[in-house]
Amino acid sequence: MTENAQQQPPAPDTELPTQYAPADVEGPLYERWVERGYFEADAKSDKPPFTVVIPPPNVTGSLHLGHAFEHTLIDALTRRKRMQGHETLWQPGMDHAGIATQNVVERELAKEGKSRHDLGREAFVDRVWQWKAESGGQISGQMRRLGDGVAWSRERFTMDEGLSQAVQTIFKRLYDDELIYRAERIINWCPRCLTAISDIEVEYQDDDGELVSMTYGEGDDTIVVATTRAETMLGDTAVAVHPDDERYRHLVGKLIKLPLTDRSIPVVADEHVDPEFGTGAVKVTPAHDPNDFEIGQRHDLPSIAVMDEHAVITAHSPFQGLDRLEARSAIVAALRAEGRIVAEKRPYVHSVGHCSRCKTTIEPRLSMQWWVKVGPLAEAAGDAVREGKVKIHPQEMEKRYFDWVDNLHDWCISRQLWWGHRIPVWYGPDGEVVCVGPDDEAPTGEGWHQDTDVLDTWFSSGLWPFSTLGWPERTESLAKFYPNSVLVTGYDILFFWVARMMMFGLYAMDGTPPFHTIALHGMVRDQFGKKMSKSFGNAVNPLDWMDKYGSDALRFTLARGANPGVDVPIGEDWVQGSRNFANKIWNATRFALMNGATVDGPLPERSAMSATDRWILSRLNSVVAEVDAYYDDFQFAKLSDTLFHFAWDEVFDWYVELSKTVFMAGGAPAEVSKRVLGEVLDVTLRLLHPVVPFVTETLWTTLTGGESVVIAQWPADSGFRDADAEREIETLQSVITEVRRFRADQGLQPGQRVPARLSLDGTALAVHETAIRQLLRLQPEGESFTATATLPVAGAEVALDLSGTIDVAAERKRLAKDLAAAEKEKAQANGKLGNEAFLAKAPDQVVEKIRTRLAKAEEDIARLTAQLERLPQA
């Protein structure tokens, strides 16, 4: 066999199995796509680039519905662009997830009765790398299950050698530009994980606590303050009031007694205080509250830390050594004993921050940390959107973006962990501080040591759009694929990941933003709109639904719910419905192939086509145009819905059914329709492919004999339109629909044949008589034909003989009984709605329920009356 012959794709199957079995198809298909390199991207290509990065999932993670949703949207975009002739890169990779990964490995060590300190830093980091090699990244296999068309050869990890060089490079540049500094500031501290954590790692929930009001000072200098964290009063260094508050003007500048201590603290005037809230006086603890820290800075107050990193009291007092919660109760008891408690409210429900990893209540804590001075970086990130360099979609999300970047505080980037990018700063024996870049030699000698902290995970993931392409080297990939074409991500991380990428991209890439468009989507929720959570019992493993219904079914359900920036409800019934859609596509294509549908040769001349052929081609091209417009506007729900109704309703339920009579008759019209049907299926399968890739690949290659729909050309609107044909077939549809409705109303079985006379002369429907009779199960009229029901529709007339099919007298009696019941229901509903006394007392939901009953009764009356009028006289 020659080399060229070895590279030829296998010949397509000429027949399809009777049923579609996703489990037998999906895995082998995906591996074939990867082996043939369809998803790889060539930086040397002269094709226009289209680049999307994957929001890097945590190495500890597994595929959840949120991932499946986001990946479906990105995959649909990239598959379409690839078919449109773009050099398409979907950049894959994973985040090292500092705190999450360290926690996982520490739990593994705990099972062995060890801690990371037993191993030491170097051995512990080696252990994490070992865990990553053996157990990390299971999400990669799950992405393959979903059909993600990523360039696997380019997979990156935020701790790999290249990305580590990028992190060290940008840290050094920011440090040299005085945009990174070290300072003692208030941070979110987790007493369990023993590290500072970012805002994104804090989860707020309403907890039951206590609000204690207590007096400070003595005699005329007494002032009442309230707190939910009584233990922090040991670190109070002032009481603050509003400058215009007349109640406390005499106290401003005075020192008052701080209870339970031997200290006195000043009363200061600060505009931060709300005089209308509570007593209008607040205790100030600069070392343990971010707002208090700012007040302390403005008034040059000392910051007294009274808790250690474990949230244990360190103040020299009777409470030293107590956990913060133990100290809280003990301090309240001591204040009560002194008669200083003036009010206690329990439970007092208030919002409390918790560590997202371990659920421990976080502690605001004064700590020496590394910070990014975000002012100039955030200004550039805001200007990029204001000036139109970057578009946010949907546009209404821009306000949220500006609210964030225009008010961004300096960013704490240091973490007290061992797993992560170590801060590249060395300290010398005489107070020297040296920041080391990737090409610099670290200082050595006695007394020199590196900073023990690592960088926030968001620092390295903020470099993702360009570090994955080889930056700081000016690589071919960087030149070809930066900036990204679009970023698809959830609105929930607009402030954290997206803003950081914008700041770093503009800084590192000479003012070029990291992407042209930010397309924001919502969160996946259950079918009732409730957040999915294990604690709620409504969390779903997407692999379970893929196993049960196929990956295409899950993808189509998710895409069909994806309106820009809006949360997505999903239920198993909807996935089952999408599975039925995949089966419908399969069965219709199988029928077409069995009846000779073909893509061979050019389309027949318009003059050779029937109105049905011209109608479906006209509709097909309109749909191509609609789908393109929806893709360009990131309207995944609308494009999916358009394709669903076109494929199911128009192609399968109408064109295929109308073509059956043509195929049975044979001759030239049948050959024309076979070619038209082949064309319609070819284009429809290509349009559907980005959202449902597996079933469309199998069907398209079988239909066309092409190598793969992945690399097929995206359909273009040919401009074929035929308004006359569309009107004609719409009329035909209305006739068939109206008669079907009448048959159903009369209780006729779908397959039951009824004698009928069709008066179609002089209408465009005359040429469709055979199809009408076939689809409506209408027999020719016989000698004994009696028109017992006549339906005037669309300028034509359909007369039916029901004398041998239904008992007219019994049917009239049944309908009359149902009509009387509907009229009684209407009267009762009207009576209640007309009763002013009832309306004044009834709950809104009860009134609304009665209005619904009234509307239903009126609808039933109209329907039943029409049915009675159509029945022949008994």
Side-chain angles (χ1 to χ4, degrees):
M1 184 179 289
T2 67
E3 181 178 350
N4 286 338
Q6 290 176 335
Q7 293 176 347
Q8 292 299 314
D13 294 333
T14 55
E15 294 184 2
L16 292 170
T18 55
Q19 291 184 325
Y20 177 50
D24 297 338
V25 170
E26 294 174 352
L29 266 188
Y30 187 84
E31 292 310 313
R32 190 187 310 163
W33 291 335
V34 173
E35 288 167 7
R36 293 179 180 175
Y38 293 155
F39 305 138
E40 297 302 322
D42 182 4
K44 294 183 172 63
S45 167
D46 58 2
K47 296 178 182 178
F50 184 82
T51 316
V52 183
V53 294
I54 192 172
N58 287 353
V59 67
T60 59
S62 59
L63 193 74
H64 57 64
L65 270 179
H67 287 126
F69 172 55
E70 187 167 79
H71 290 201
T72 294
L73 305 187
I74 300 174
D75 196 41
L77 287 177
T78 52
R79 284 179 182 269
R80 173 178 175 254
K81 285 296 182 181
R82 191 177 293 112
M83 295 171 75
Q84 286 182 316
H86 288 71
E87 193 62 36
T88 303
L89 170 60
W90 183 8
Q91 173 67 54
M94 287 183 291
D95 191 283
H96 65 278
I99 192 170
T101 306
Q102 180 158 317
N103 280 347
V104 167
V105 177
E106 286 196 86
R107 284 195 294 269
E108 292 297 314
L109 285 174
K111 295 176 183 176
E112 303 169 16
K114 298 178 182 178
S115 74
R116 60 183 165 116
H117 300 286
D118 295 323
L119 272 66
R121 183 167 193 146
E122 185 175 346
F124 176 77
V125 171
D126 287 343
R127 180 69 177 260
V128 179
W129 278 109
Q130 179 185 340
W131 174 87
K132 191 256 181 187
E134 294 173 357
S135 306
Q138 62 174 309
I139 202 168
S140 296
Q142 296 166 339
M143 286 166 60
R144 293 171 180 264
R145 283 288 314 278
L146 190 63
D148 287 1
V150 299
W152 288 111
S153 70
R154 291 173 172 266
E155 187 174 12
R156 303 303 299 269
F157 180 55
T158 51
M159 285 280 285
D160 69 28
E161 183 177 352
L163 269 65
S164 295
Q165 183 184 23
V167 168
Q168 195 172 354
T169 298
I170 201 163
F171 187 100
K172 170 70 171 171
R173 292 186 186 179
L174 289 164
Y175 181 86
D176 289 346
D177 286 343
E178 298 183 348
L179 293 172
I180 282 183
Y181 63 94
R182 193 168 185 245
E184 193 173 41
R185 303 273 293 277
I186 291 282
I187 45 85
N188 300 311
W189 181 264
C190 176
R192 156 63 182 77
C193 298
L194 298 180
T195 181
I197 60 176
S198 68
D199 292 337
I200 188 66
E201 293 166 317
V202 178
E203 293 180 347
Y204 287 90
Q205 64 184 47
D206 288 340
D207 286 357
D208 286 344
E210 60 180 358
L211 180 67
V212 179
S213 298
M214 51 196 175
T215 59
Y216 286 9
E218 304 286 354
D220 292 339
D221 294 344
T222 298
I223 194 166
V224 177
V225 298
T227 182
T228 58
R229 300 163 66 217
E231 67 278 9
T232 64
M233 61 85 59
L234 300 174
D236 285 359
T237 57
V239 170
V241 298
H242 194 274
D244 299 331
D245 196 330
E246 294 292 341
R247 293 172 295 177
Y248 304 116
R249 188 178 296 277
H250 68 289
L251 290 177
V252 174
K254 285 189 175 182
L255 294 176
I256 62 172
K257 168 74 173 172
L258 178 65
L260 308 182
T261 72
D262 58 1
R263 292 190 291 116
S264 292
I265 59 177
V267 177
V268 300
D270 195 281
E271 291 188 352
H272 170 76
V273 179
D274 179 1
E276 303 298 325
F277 183 77
T279 64
V282 296
K283 59 190 286 298
V284 181
T285 322
H288 293 281
D289 184 275
N291 292 322
D292 292 3
F293 178 80
E294 298 296 333
I295 294 175
Q297 293 288 296
R298 288 193 288 273
H299 297 277
D300 198 25
L301 300 174
S303 296
I304 302 175
V306 297
M307 277 180 270
D308 66 12
E309 64 270 24
H310 297 280
V312 171
I313 300 297
T314 58
H316 296 290
S317 69
F319 314 105
Q320 186 174 3
L322 294 180
D323 170 83
R324 57 183 165 168
L325 298 182
E326 296 171 332
R328 183 176 300 171
S329 298
I331 287 170
V332 170
L335 290 168
R336 190 183 299 114
E338 289 192 3
R340 290 189 173 274
I341 300 296
V342 297
E344 295 178 73
K345 185 175 181 180
R346 296 189 186 90
Y348 178 71
V349 179
H350 61 133
S351 181
V352 178
H354 297 260
C355 174
S356 63
R357 303 300 175 188
C358 67
K359 310 309 176 186
T360 301
T361 300
I362 63 106
E363 191 66 42
R365 184 169 186 258
L366 186 63
S367 178
M368 183 66 75
Q369 301 286 345
W370 284 94
W371 304 80
V372 171
K373 186 184 296 183
V374 300
L377 301 174
E379 183 180 3
D383 289 345
V385 175
R386 287 188 175 94
E387 295 168 5
K389 294 178 182 177
V390 178
K391 296 187 182 301
I392 293 179
H393 192 277
Q395 190 174 2
E396 54 265 28
M397 288 286 182
E398 282 186 2
K399 183 180 183 302
R400 297 178 66 176
Y401 176 78
F402 293 135
D403 286 346
W404 179 258
V405 297
D406 292 346
N407 299 284
L408 202 56
H409 297 294
D410 285 1
W411 170 21
C412 176
I413 55 172
S414 45
R415 299 291 179 266
Q416 290 63 57
L417 304 171
W418 287 358
W419 172 244
H421 294 283
R422 189 111 173 239
I423 288 178
V425 172
W426 271 255
Y427 305 103
D430 298 317
E432 302 95 332
V433 179
V434 176
C435 181
V436 176
D439 299 324
D440 301 331
E441 290 289 333
T444 57
E446 186 175 351
W448 282 92
H449 64 281
Q450 186 178 359
D451 195 299
T452 57
D453 288 352
V454 301
L455 288 163
D456 178 12
T457 298
W458 296 102
F459 190 94
S460 51
S461 62
L463 314 181
W464 191 249
F466 52 93
S467 63
T468 53
L469 298 173
W471 188 91
E473 300 298 324
R474 294 290 173 170
T475 63
E476 286 184 318
S477 290
L478 190 64
K480 178 73 174 180
F481 296 114
Y482 186 92
N484 284 203
S485 307
V486 61
L487 173 73
V488 179
T489 192
Y491 62 70
D492 58 322
I493 57 174
L494 173 65
F495 315 131
F496 306 106
W497 185 47
V498 178
R500 279 137 176 71
M501 285 190 291
M502 286 285 283
M503 291 190 295
F504 282 161
L506 289 160
Y507 174 80
M509 296 300 294
D510 304 318
T512 302
F515 18 73
H516 296 301
T517 302
I518 302 168
L520 298 171
H521 59 71
M523 305 295 102
V524 178
R525 298 183 178 273
D526 71 12
Q527 64 199 75
F528 305 108
K530 191 174 182 180
K531 179 182 177 181
M532 285 192 171
S533 166
K534 290 181 180 178
S535 60
F536 295 155
N538 62 350
V540 173
N541 182 345
L543 294 176
D544 293 341
W545 281 353
M546 286 192 279
D547 288 342
K548 194 170 182 180
Y549 302 111
S551 298
D552 284 334
L554 176 63
R555 290 171 60 115
F556 193 72
T557 304
L558 290 166
R560 205 172 175 195
N563 290 297
V566 178
D567 288 346
V568 183
I570 184 172
E572 186 169 1
D573 288 351
W574 305 341
V575 184
Q576 185 175 353
S578 295
R579 188 272 314 272
N580 295 343
F581 179 51
N583 289 341
K584 184 79 170 181
I585 301 170
W586 183 273
N587 292 333
T589 306
R590 186 169 177 271
F591 164 83
L593 289 168
M594 291 171 60
N595 283 275
T598 179
V599 296
D600 294 338
L603 279 173
E605 293 294 328
R606 184 187 293 246
S607 60
M609 297 180 192
S610 68
T612 309
D613 296 328
R614 289 183 279 114
W615 160 73
I616 197 61
L617 288 175
S618 183
R619 288 292 304 126
L620 176 68
N621 281 281
S622 293
V623 167
V624 169
E626 287 175 37
V627 169
D628 275 333
Y630 287 141
Y631 262 115
D632 292 340
D633 199 34
F634 305 102
Q635 298 279 359
F636 295 97
K638 290 183 178 179
L639 72 89
S640 299
D641 210 48
T642 295
L643 287 170
F644 174 86
H645 287 293
F646 174 70
W648 192 307
D649 300 344
E650 298 186 79
V651 178
F652 305 148
D653 278 358
W654 283 107
Y655 184 70
V656 168
E657 291 300 314
L658 289 169
S659 297
K660 287 180 179 178
T661 56
V662 180
F663 293 156
M664 286 189 293
E671 296 306 312
V672 170
S673 291
K674 289 175 183 179
R675 178 63 189 90
V676 170
L677 179 55
E679 180 76 9
V680 171
L681 288 174
D682 169 21
V683 173
T684 302
L685 292 170
R686 283 185 280 151
L687 289 172
L688 283 165
H689 172 73
V691 182
V692 284
F694 294 108
V695 67
T696 52
E697 171 80 341
T698 304
L699 296 174
W700 187 86
T701 53
T702 304
L703 172 70
T704 68
E707 180 182 342
S708 172
V709 71
V710 177
I711 55 173
Q713 186 175 21
W714 180 253
D717 177 4
S718 70
F720 187 106
R721 298 290 191 280
D722 195 317
D724 291 338
E726 290 196 35
R727 281 192 295 270
E728 183 174 326
I729 301 305
E730 286 171 8
T731 302
L732 174 64
Q733 290 171 329
S734 68
V735 170
I736 292 173
T737 300
E738 185 67 21
V739 177
R740 280 176 172 168
R741 184 181 296 116
F742 178 75
R743 287 176 55 107
D745 288 344
Q746 306 312 312
L748 297 177
Q749 295 301 314
Q752 189 172 356
R753 293 196 169 274
V754 177
R757 177 190 299 130
L758 305 185
S759 301
L760 308 176
D761 292 345
T763 73
L765 298 176
V767 297
H768 299 287
E769 179 167 351
T770 302
I772 292 172
R773 287 190 177 276
Q774 181 65 31
L775 293 176
L776 291 174
R777 304 294 191 268
L778 302 180
Q779 294 177 343
E781 57 191 284
E783 291 183 2
S784 59
F785 178 84
T786 302
T788 58
T790 301
L791 304 177
V793 285
E797 189 176 86
V798 179
L800 304 175
D801 183 353
L802 305 179
S803 56
T805 57
I806 62 172
D807 183 335
V808 175
E811 185 65 10
R812 277 190 169 279
K813 186 176 180 180
R814 182 185 71 80
L815 292 173
K817 182 179 178 182
D818 290 348
L819 180 59
E823 288 173 338
K824 182 179 179 181
E825 176 75 4
K826 176 183 176 181
Q828 290 176 340
N830 274 327
K832 289 183 178 180
L833 293 175
N835 186 332
E836 294 296 335
F838 171 79
L839 292 177
K841 295 178 181 179
D844 290 345
Q845 61 267 29
V846 172
V847 175
E848 185 58 34
K849 188 174 181 180
I850 294 171
R851 288 197 177 105
T852 302
R853 285 168 48 194
L854 174 61
K856 175 66 167 54
E858 289 175 338
E859 180 183 316
D860 288 344
I861 290 169
R863 175 178 56 82
L864 294 165
T865 300
Q867 287 179 237
L868 279 166
E869 289 174 352
R870 288 172 176 170
L871 276 178
Q873 295 299 317

